[in-house]
Amino acid sequence: MGDAIPPIREEEAARVAKLVDEGAASRLRDSLVCARVMIAERLGIRADEVRFARSDEGAPRLKNVPERSVSVSRSGGWTLVALGDGLAIGADVELMRDLNWRAMLGMVSSEPEAAAFLALAKNEPEQTLRAFFTLWTIKEAVLKATGRGMRAGAKSVQVPVEGLVRDPHPLREIHMAGVTYTVWSGWEGDVALSVAVARD
């Protein structure tokens, strides 16, 4: 993109400066700038015109384009940006990595959901980690779409585990607190992505 890449902003640089790890700082700096470039290209404006604000709950919004909803997620060197036409939207991207999914399952899933996932893991052990990351990104995308993020609690998002492996369903409906969210989920190599949009 050459000269089209805008300089980092003061408030962005302040976020980057808080990171001790140089690699993480470099990835965040690139992601912050690229997110503005992607949004600007989609909206037909300049990257320096993209201005973020935060709700009281910390959810991002576009100051100068308030009619558009926005969500941004980062993992490793990946940045996922989702724009909506005013309907609540949430996005999550996660680079698949080795982790103790059993320990995390109890923190993010209700007992019935965890039991169903353990049954799936027993039947499809080679697909378990991939299924867990799909589950995780769906939950986080929905939580971001609520505007509260993880404060709302991952256990409050009930995801049917059927279809997380083998013949995964890219589209599903998730109901939470009286709102229905249409959720798309998929993979790009070893990267899990999910986007949730509130229905009218």
Side-chain angles (χ1 to χ4, degrees):
M1 296 174 77
D3 295 336
I5 299 175
I8 191 167
R9 288 182 175 151
E10 184 177 342
E11 65 272 17
E12 294 170 339
R15 285 183 62 184
V16 171
K18 293 177 183 177
L19 297 179
V20 177
D21 181 87
E22 286 187 23
S26 177
R27 288 190 297 272
L28 177 59
R29 179 175 53 251
D30 292 346
S31 176
L32 290 167
V33 173
C34 286
R36 283 194 287 118
V37 170
M38 288 188 283
I39 291 169
E41 287 181 353
R42 184 67 180 149
L43 297 179
I45 61 177
R46 298 190 316 274
D48 62 0
E49 295 178 298
V50 176
R51 297 283 175 182
F52 288 101
R54 297 273 174 184
S55 71
D56 293 340
E57 297 281 358
R61 62 181 180 82
L62 294 170
K63 273 186 181 179
N64 53 334
V65 196
E67 68 276 11
R68 300 299 295 267
S69 44
V70 65
S71 184
V72 181
S73 180
R74 302 172 175 89
S75 182
W78 287 76
T79 299
L80 175 61
V81 176
L83 285 172
D85 291 326
L87 296 173
I89 195 166
D92 189 47
V93 59
E94 295 291 342
L95 178 62
M96 188 169 69
R97 54 206 178 272
D98 286 332
L99 48 73
N100 186 349
W101 64 264
R102 287 181 184 274
M104 294 185 67
L105 189 63
M107 294 185 286
V108 303
S109 295
S110 65
E111 287 186 18
E113 187 180 56
F117 191 89
L118 288 170
L120 178 150
K122 184 177 180 180
N123 294 327
E124 301 280 356
E126 71 284 353
Q127 294 293 323
T128 302
L129 191 59
R130 195 174 177 94
F132 181 79
F133 274 94
T134 299
L135 179 73
W136 179 353
T137 61
I138 291 170
K139 284 176 175 279
E140 190 154 343
V142 171
L143 289 168
K144 285 184 174 183
T146 69
R148 298 192 62 206
M150 295 304 284
R151 296 177 192 84
K155 290 183 180 182
S156 64
V157 183
Q158 295 298 303
V159 180
V161 299
E162 303 83 7
L164 290 180
V165 297
R166 292 288 176 195
D167 185 23
H169 305 300
L171 284 175
R172 46 179 62 80
E173 287 188 350
I174 303 293
H175 307 281
M176 181 181 173
V179 179
T180 299
Y181 298 90
T182 298
V183 184
W184 172 89
S185 56
W187 284 81
E188 182 66 38
D190 286 335
V191 180
L193 311 100
S194 290
V195 176
V197 182
R199 297 266 296 274
D200 285 328

